[in-house]
């Protein structure tokens, strides 16, 4: 028992060292500006979508609760379905650009600000939402699980 905890502790310490070394090497190799660019162009849009998802859920919850007064669980589920649908629609353009960046070498160096206008110009605005059904199939159950189930069993 003592030996296994020591092994787990060593693995955790080793992973942290590798992570710190990777961050340090990445900063040394690519510069601090690239690290900052990742924060601005990846973390900021995704966190904005998360905040909007929570906001839509909190706004839709009382609306659906007023419709189904006796069935609060159904109101929570419907509010989370709406929030998941909004998240799926908002994530679609970013996912379309990400997939294009992986599959097309011409898009490899583009950011969100340069890649989206280029993608719209070349393929049209509706091409950004080509995977909306797949995103709905992914986001709606996920958001329903997170919001409604947490609300029902609170």
């Amino acid at each position: 028992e003592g030996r296994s905890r020591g092994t787990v502790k060593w693995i955790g310490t080793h992973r942290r060292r590798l992570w710190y070394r990777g961050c340090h090497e990445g900063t040394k190799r690519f510069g601090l500006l690239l690290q900052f660019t990742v924060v601005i162009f990846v973390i900021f849009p995704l966190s904005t979508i998360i905040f909007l998802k929570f906001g839509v859920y909190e706004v839709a919850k009382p609306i659906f609760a007023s419709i189904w007064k006796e069935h609060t669980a159904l109101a929570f589920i419907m509010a989370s379905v709406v929030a998941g649908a909004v998240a799926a629609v908002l994530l679609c353009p970013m996912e379309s650009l990400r997939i294009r960046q992986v599959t097309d070498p011409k898009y490899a160096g583009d950011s969100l600000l340069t890649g989206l206008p280029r993608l719209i110009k070349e393929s049209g605005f509706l091409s950004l939402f080509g995977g909306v059904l797949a995103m709905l199939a992914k986001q709606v159950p996920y958001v329903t699980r997170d919001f409604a189930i947490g609300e029902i069993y609170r």
Side-chain angles (χ1 to χ4, degrees), residues 1 3 17 19 32 37 39-40 50 63-64 68 73 82 89 92 119 121 125 128 136:
E1 185 175 293
R3 185 175 183 178
R17 283 185 190 146
W19 187 80
L32 193 58
T37 305
V39 169
I40 294 299
I50 291 169
I63 293 170
F64 286 112
W68 290 296
V82 170
V89 169
C92 256
L119 189 61
K121 185 178 178 183
F125 181 74
L128 297 177
L136 284 170

Side-chain angles (χ1 to χ4, degrees), residues 22-73:
C23 288
H24 179 68
E25 290 296 320
T27 304
K28 232 170 49 176
R29 187 170 180 192
F30 300 111
L32 193 58
L33 183 61
L34 183 68
Q35 303 290 330
F36 182 70
T37 305
V38 167
V39 169
I40 294 299
F41 292 112
V42 174
I43 295 174
F44 181 71
L46 292 178
S47 62
T48 303
I49 289 172
I50 291 169
F51 292 138
L52 284 172
K53 187 170 46 173
F54 277 108
V56 168
Y57 176 72
E58 290 299 325
V59 167
K61 193 169 52 171
I63 293 170
F64 286 112
S66 68
I67 294 170
W68 290 296
K69 292 182 174 100
E70 296 138 14
H71 306 288
T72 55

Side-chain angles (χ1 to χ4, degrees), residues 100-154:
R100 184 63 70 98
Q101 286 174 330
V102 171
T103 58
D104 191 352
K106 294 186 298 185
Y107 282 84
D110 284 345
S111 69
L112 192 63
L113 294 178
T114 60
L116 277 180
R118 185 171 160 197
L119 189 61
I120 292 170
K121 185 178 178 183
E122 290 180 8
S123 303
F125 181 74
L126 291 178
S127 70
L128 297 177
F129 300 97
V132 75
L133 293 177
M135 288 300 290
L136 284 170
K138 177 181 150 188
Q139 282 292 318
V140 170
Y142 167 74
V143 173
T144 303
R145 183 203 66 196
D146 280 356
F147 292 160
I149 304 303
E151 198 78 46
I152 292 168
Y153 290 108
R154 190 189 308 198

